[in-house]
Structure formats: C-alpha cells, structure tokens
Amino acid sequence: MSLAGKVALVSGAAGGIGKETVRALTDAGAIVAAAVETDQQAAGFNNARPLDVRSEDDWKATVAWVVQEFGRLDILVNNAGVLREASPEETTVDMWDLIHSVNLKGVFLGCKAAIPELRKQGDGAIVNVASIDGIRGNYNHAAYSASKGGVVALTRSLALDLAPDGIRVNAVCPGTVDTPMVAAMMSNASSHEAAMEVSRQKHPIGRIAQPGEIADVIAFLAGPASRFMTGMAVPVDGGRSIR
C-alpha cells in the first residue's frame, strides 16, 4: 500500500470522503494536493487551492500548480460532487445541468487535464468517485443517478484508452455515507431518524458507511496493491448492490 514518492490531487477535498481520502493517501506516504471549493476551505490543508471543477481553465491551472509545487502528478482522485433529490417531474433543467456539470463534466475535465502528467510517470492512477446509484438507480435521484452512471461508463472507456500508457482508471461506488452532503439530504426528510433507519435497512451490513471506509478503498485503488485492476466500478456499499 506504500505511496511513498507519489503525488496525488484530490478534488472535493473539503467534504467528508475528500478529507478522509487526503488522510488515507497521506498515511500511505503520498504528498497530497487538496482541491477545494473556497479559499476558506483551503486553510484547513497543508497544500490546497480552490478549484471550480466545471472550469477547464481551473483544472489546467490546478494541475500546473501541482506540478510546479511538487514536480509531478501520479494520482488523481475525482471526488467533488453534488446531490439534489427530486421526482422526475420536479427535476428542473437547471438542477440537471448543475448535477451533471459537477459530477460528470467535472470528472471528465479533471481526467483530461491530468492525463498528460500521469502519462509521464508510466504508472499513473485515476480514481473516480461514482455511486451505487450509478449502478442500480434510486428513487428521486434521476439526475444524480444518470450523472454517476456516466462516471462509471467514462471510467471504463478511459481505462481502455489509457491502459497502453500505464494509467489505470477505476471508480468506487459508495452506498450511503455519513457525510455532510447526506446529512443535508436527510435534514430535508419529514423525519430525520426515520430516513436514517431506512438508509440503514438498505445495507445488509446494517449501517451506513463512514467516510474513512470509502477513502481506504480509494487509497487501495490508487496504489500498487491494485496494479492489475483497471476499468472497475467497485461497490463499497455494505452489500446494498447485491440485494
């Protein structure tokens, strides 16, 4: 699992999974650059800068900053994402566009910007954070599920394109995770505790995930222990996908 000498870039680093991914990669020995949404969030990290994942120019500047600061880029973790719940009829075009511009376009732009630098290393790794919703779908998640399904398909296509360059591309597909994004979603439910209980029941393991449990799998996919894995969408969902 050692990532000593490797340089990683993590988007959405201020979120629950993002923070734990920075921790997991750092614990494995990597130098980690954190891409966050605001200057205020950047203050919580050793190496961080704001990034609008919807902007190709921002991605190019962020990758250039990483290379200038640390001399290389070995690992990209596309973690930034947004979630909005609505029935199909209540899903507005603006909602659809926001979700897809962050969750899918943002992942594509991150990969596009990072590939030239990853190619130089001959053993680069990209890990995209998708969702179990991108494999199975979910009620009132039409836009979100479609965006995460797109991430899964993008991951598989990039894995084929980049395998000759020694770049592996995989995705993690979390179930429900105890993050601020999920907490905000639950707070909109008529009964927070009832919503949490439904979420727990969906997972055969009997609970929702902690962010670190997702981050540890991300670190695994970024490291040498998974060197014969590419194009995989790995459910990290407490058994939810097999029900």
Side-chain angles (χ1 to χ4, degrees):
M1 287 292 289
S2 175
L3 294 173
K6 302 294 187 181
V7 175
L9 171 60
V10 179
S11 74
I17 294 174
K19 285 182 180 178
E20 284 298 307
T21 299
V22 171
R23 185 271 310 163
L25 295 175
T26 301
D27 287 351
I31 297 171
V32 184
V36 296
E37 190 173 353
T38 66
D39 285 315
Q40 185 177 7
Q41 291 173 342
F45 298 91
N46 291 329
N47 308 299
R49 64 176 280 152
L51 166 67
D52 181 350
V53 298
R54 301 167 295 180
S55 166
E56 184 171 15
D57 288 342
D58 263 23
W59 268 114
K60 289 179 179 178
T62 298
V63 170
W65 165 72
V66 172
V67 174
Q68 181 179 357
E69 290 291 316
F70 309 113
R72 59 191 292 157
L73 177 62
D74 302 274
I75 299 163
L76 172 66
V77 179
N78 283 302
N79 172 66
V82 295
L83 170 62
R84 301 287 187 274
E85 287 194 311
S87 69
E89 310 97 290
E90 294 171 337
T91 298
T92 65
V93 172
D94 286 345
M95 187 186 301
W96 178 277
D97 288 346
L98 170 65
I99 290 171
H100 280 256
S101 65
V102 174
N103 293 1
L104 184 52
K105 178 184 174 183
V107 171
F108 166 69
L109 291 177
C111 293
K112 183 180 179 182
I115 285 168
E117 296 300 328
L118 296 174
R119 185 176 285 125
K120 294 176 184 178
Q121 311 314 322
D123 63 348
I126 297 172
V127 184
N128 298 323
V129 179
S131 169
I132 199 62
D133 285 7
I135 298 174
R136 294 191 48 170
N138 202 356
Y139 297 105
N140 294 325
H141 281 194
Y144 181 78
S145 295
S147 72
K148 293 299 187 177
V151 171
V152 170
L154 175 62
T155 296
R156 290 170 174 160
S157 292
L158 289 176
L160 294 174
D161 289 332
L162 301 177
D165 299 307
I167 300 172
R168 298 182 301 108
V169 190
N170 291 290
V172 294
C173 299
T176 305
V177 186
D178 187 8
T179 65
M181 184 173 75
V182 170
M185 179 182 71
M186 295 295 185
S187 69
N188 293 327
S190 57
S191 169
H192 174 78
E193 187 52 40
M196 286 296 293
E197 181 59 29
V198 168
S199 291
R200 287 190 287 267
Q201 291 175 1
K202 287 180 179 179
H203 302 78
I205 208 167
R207 60 178 178 84
I208 66 174
Q210 293 302 307
E213 294 173 308
I214 311 303
D216 288 343
V217 178
I218 292 171
F220 164 73
L221 291 173
S226 62
R227 58 189 174 274
F228 202 58
M229 294 177 65
T230 195
M232 295 294 100
V234 181
V236 190
D237 64 355
R240 183 170 168 180
S241 58
I242 61 173
R243 294 192 63 163

